[in-house]
Amino acid sequence: MERNQHSVRTPLNSVVERRSKSKSYRLSYRSGLGAASRPCFTPGLTARRLDTSRKAPKSRDITEKMTKEQLTLLVQTEWQLSYVTPLYRFRHTQLKSYSRQLSAFIAAEKQQGLAVDVEGTDNTFRVSFSLVQGMTESVDDAETVLIQIHRKSLFASQNEPLKPVWSGWLTCINVNPGYLQSLTKDFICLPLFCSSGAGALTTLVQSWFQQSFDCCFGPLEISHMSLQWLIALWINCNPESSIRQLKMIWTLPVEPPLKVTYTVNSEDAWELWRTVRKEDRAGEEEEDSIDIEEVTSFMQGLKGHFFRHFRLDLSAGCLNEVSTALGSAKHTGMIKISNSKYLITTLTLLTECAILKMPI
């Protein structure tokens, strides 16, 4: 067995640049919370944590309003996550204008030598903003906005298609109503930003948004607890859409660090999940939810089985990565959602994470 990595595949037979907040952003909180409130010390907002109970995921067809190209991009790409504070005077009706403005901004930065070129120097970039319809879950959710950057060489033929070099999108799924009430009407809440492509272009896009809409961006890591929630939500989908297998990567704090890859068969993971699901729920609404106690019990079952076989206590370590056939997620903030039927479920959790990570 390698010291720095230990891979296990076993059934469970024994167990059934962040800048400071702008003045207008602070005033928005102040007006929403009352004049006597101090934005940086608001107990109602700063004391919030991840929800301890959430709806069990249900299969949902989101392909009716979304284009095939948009759907393919969303579910076949690994995205880097960031949070973004509310956008001041952003308008969904002005997307064509934003496309021109961001294209001009990139060109100007390039002329000043501030933009890092992608695959050569003789490139022109074209930006497109578009709506991704069909992804709202509540009446308060703002429509998702997709941003794409294409490149074309100056020496390319006239009929040569533009090459996509960067994609990103801003979304808001099931955001906390109390948070929205704390904002004035001039702010649009699209707290989750997903990007894929050259880091230099990501920086330029974020810089343009910050200058244009008085917002700020920050990295969004997926916490140890959020990764466990993703495991539970995806496991719960297994009867309708097989997860195939559950793969987890843990890091144990020893010298040198021990990396453990733990893979569980989908049937065994499902049987364990069934044993921890509460049977004494009262009412149909409660039956359609998952509680933190169930998530914790499920993870304890997985770690207990591992300890019985290998005498390694995963509780002492950190969960860094999870993956199933429905998607994968990393602590560093990388996410890939491979099944569109449960896209909304995953984005609801990530939207909540983005709201909680924002500075107040």
Side-chain angles (χ1 to χ4, degrees):
M1 180 181 73
E2 292 184 44
R3 178 58 180 164
N4 62 344
Q5 180 166 347
H6 184 53
S7 299
V8 179
R9 182 182 181 89
T10 174
L12 292 172
N13 297 328
S14 61
V15 189
V16 190
E17 132 190 311
R18 197 185 88 192
R19 63 178 188 177
S20 60
K21 298 182 293 296
S22 65
K23 180 179 180 182
S24 58
Y25 181 53
R26 294 197 302 270
L27 288 177
S28 172
Y29 272 108
R30 194 172 181 81
S31 61
L33 297 170
S37 299
R38 296 183 63 188
C40 292
F41 301 97
T42 307
L45 292 176
T46 56
R48 285 187 300 138
R49 297 292 184 269
L50 280 174
D51 288 342
T52 57
S53 179
R54 58 187 73 246
K55 291 182 179 180
K58 291 183 178 180
S59 175
R60 175 177 168 182
D61 185 6
I62 62 173
T63 61
E64 294 181 359
K65 296 182 179 180
M66 192 183 303
T67 68
K68 182 179 179 181
E69 291 75 16
Q70 288 176 338
L71 180 64
T72 300
L73 178 65
L74 294 185
V75 301
Q76 292 188 2
T77 304
E78 187 175 39
W79 302 97
Q80 178 68 56
L81 303 180
S82 302
Y83 70 80
V84 55
T85 58
L87 309 176
Y88 184 63
R89 293 186 175 177
F90 178 89
R91 300 289 182 264
H92 284 77
T93 56
Q94 299 296 316
L95 298 187
K96 287 187 178 180
S97 175
Y98 298 157
S99 299
R100 294 191 297 269
Q101 292 176 36
L102 181 52
S103 295
F105 178 81
I106 294 175
E109 294 294 291
K110 207 176 154 201
Q111 283 185 345
Q112 297 178 37
L114 300 178
V116 178
D117 292 315
V118 180
E119 296 183 9
T121 57
D122 297 325
N123 300 318
T124 57
F125 297 99
R126 183 174 300 173
V127 180
S128 65
F129 280 69
S130 59
L131 288 179
V132 182
Q133 297 182 332
M135 286 179 60
T136 55
E137 184 70 1
S138 71
V139 294
D140 296 322
D141 292 344
E143 291 282 2
T144 297
V145 176
L146 174 66
I147 310 155
Q148 292 179 285
I149 301 178
H150 293 77
R151 175 187 65 82
K152 187 171 184 177
S153 171
L154 294 177
F155 302 103
S157 63
Q158 184 174 359
N159 297 327
E160 183 177 331
L162 294 174
K163 179 181 178 181
V165 293
W166 187 92
S167 299
W169 44 295
L170 295 149
T171 194
C172 171
I173 308 294
N174 265 332
V175 71
N176 185 289
Y179 177 77
L180 291 179
Q181 292 171 7
S182 72
L183 303 175
T184 65
K185 63 180 181 179
D186 285 328
F187 285 90
I188 296 296
C189 184
L190 288 165
L192 184 62
F193 178 69
C194 310
S195 61
S196 175
L201 290 177
T202 300
T203 300
L204 286 177
V205 171
Q206 292 181 348
S207 178
W208 178 80
F209 267 95
Q210 290 175 166
Q211 294 180 32
S212 302
F213 304 109
D214 205 12
C215 60
C216 63
F217 289 77
L220 180 60
E221 297 178 342
I222 306 177
S223 69
H224 180 85
M225 191 67 244
S226 296
L227 288 175
Q228 294 181 64
W229 264 112
L230 283 175
I231 289 175
L233 294 172
W234 287 339
I235 290 293
N236 200 78
C237 301
N238 188 64
E240 291 187 23
S241 300
S242 174
I243 65 167
R244 298 182 191 169
Q245 67 177 23
L246 168 62
K247 180 180 178 181
M248 298 164 285
I249 296 180
W250 296 75
T251 301
L252 298 181
V254 295
E255 290 296 338
L258 180 63
K259 182 178 179 181
V260 177
T261 301
Y262 185 6
T263 304
V264 183
N265 180 275
S266 61
E267 290 77 13
D268 295 317
W270 173 246
E271 284 301 315
L272 174 60
W273 180 244
R274 287 178 57 190
T275 65
V276 303
R277 288 287 278 161
K278 295 179 180 178
E279 300 293 341
D280 57 347
R281 297 176 182 272
E284 183 177 347
E285 184 176 348
E286 289 189 4
E287 292 177 356
D288 194 32
S289 65
I290 297 175
D291 295 335
I292 186 63
E293 291 82 4
E294 295 168 321
V295 178
T296 302
S297 296
F298 179 73
M299 296 304 299
Q300 287 175 343
L302 290 174
K303 290 183 284 189
H305 174 77
F306 190 88
F307 182 78
R308 284 191 294 275
H309 280 270
F310 304 103
R311 290 296 182 266
L312 285 175
D313 186 3
L314 296 179
S315 298
C318 183
L319 180 60
N320 293 323
E321 184 176 345
V322 300
S323 63
T324 71
L326 304 185
S328 62
K330 301 176 183 177
H331 170 69
T332 54
M334 300 296 295
I335 186 81
K336 183 176 182 180
I337 306 171
S338 305
N339 189 316
S340 64
K341 293 180 180 179
Y342 303 104
L343 184 67
I344 298 299
T345 295
T346 304
L347 291 179
T348 296
L349 173 63
L350 296 178
T351 297
E352 184 183 344
C353 294
I355 293 290
L356 294 176
K357 186 68 181 292
M358 285 183 192
I360 295 180

